[in-house]
Amino acid sequence: MRAAWIFAMLVMALTEGLPQYVRAEPAAGPAGSRRYSFAEGLAQTTPAQRKRYAPEQALFDAANQERAARRLAPLKWNPALASAARAHAQKMARENTLSHQFPGEMDLGTRVRLAGVRFRAVAENVAQGPSAASIHTQWINSPPHRANLLDPELDSIGIAVAEGQGQLFAVQDFSQANP
């Protein structure tokens, strides 16, 4: 299994710009896998915070609408995945560029583990655009990104959107939860 994980990390390094997908051995550590609905999290926010999270809600709804149209199970909101996605989206906005891993930044699997997610597989989509709708269109029209969105084995999602240079920088982190 360790050799497979090392191979997956090497593939990630060689496929910069493509959506990321990693299978990993179960990790020890905090559970972090309790699933919440997006609405459950929004219920604990102020109106100003809800406005900030509107693009994330739109991307979450669009992802599950795509899955429902294909009779796939909906993705469950995972706040730990969203936390990992948020840190990366903010980094992309600061750098004003898209990347799955910046120099000196941890890889996707490590970022998600440190956020407290236990997983069997993890994947990531990143994009930049003027609106949540345009970002979703980019993802659904890109075969590798669409594959992540519609992967029936992935069951959890965290989404973050950060503003920078008049654009939205979005990250979708997916996982197959480790029971």
Side-chain angles (χ1 to χ4, degrees):
M1 275 297 224
R2 179 121 175 103
W5 185 84
I6 291 169
F7 177 74
M9 293 296 109
L10 177 61
V11 169
M12 276 180 37
L14 297 174
T15 58
E16 187 61 45
L18 295 176
Q20 298 294 297
Y21 192 93
V22 178
R23 290 209 174 271
E25 295 180 51
S33 61
R34 179 175 186 266
R35 296 179 200 145
Y36 299 83
S37 70
F38 196 95
E40 197 176 2
L42 284 180
Q44 301 170 20
T45 61
T46 67
Q49 289 170 319
R50 283 192 286 281
K51 182 178 179 187
R52 184 181 125 213
Y53 295 126
E56 296 167 2
Q57 176 75 60
L59 289 169
F60 178 69
D61 292 343
N64 278 329
Q65 287 169 2
E66 295 288 348
R67 291 174 69 92
R70 290 159 181 85
R71 297 182 182 188
L72 296 170
L75 295 163
K76 306 293 184 203
W77 185 258
N78 184 306
L81 282 172
S83 176
R86 181 157 321 288
H88 191 66
Q90 290 170 344
K91 178 115 177 122
M92 290 192 314
R94 277 192 308 275
E95 299 289 330
N96 194 34
T97 192
L98 296 178
S99 180
H100 287 286
Q101 185 178 4
F102 289 96
E105 184 182 31
M106 292 172 273
D107 62 70
L108 172 62
T110 303
R111 290 192 316 257
V112 170
R113 271 193 199 96
L114 289 176
V117 179
R118 293 180 56 179
F119 63 89
R120 290 187 180 170
V122 64
E124 179 174 78
N125 287 344
V126 298
Q128 168 186 353
S131 68
S134 70
I135 289 169
H136 177 73
T137 298
Q138 289 175 50
W139 282 332
I140 208 65
N141 289 331
S142 163
H145 294 91
R146 183 175 55 247
N148 282 345
L149 275 163
L150 303 177
D151 186 331
E153 292 187 19
L154 297 174
D155 56 17
S156 303
I157 191 170
I159 301 170
V161 177
E163 291 185 53
Q165 305 293 320
Q167 292 285 304
L168 298 178
F169 290 83
V171 176
Q172 287 179 319
D173 283 345
F174 305 87
S175 75
Q176 178 185 27
N178 190 19

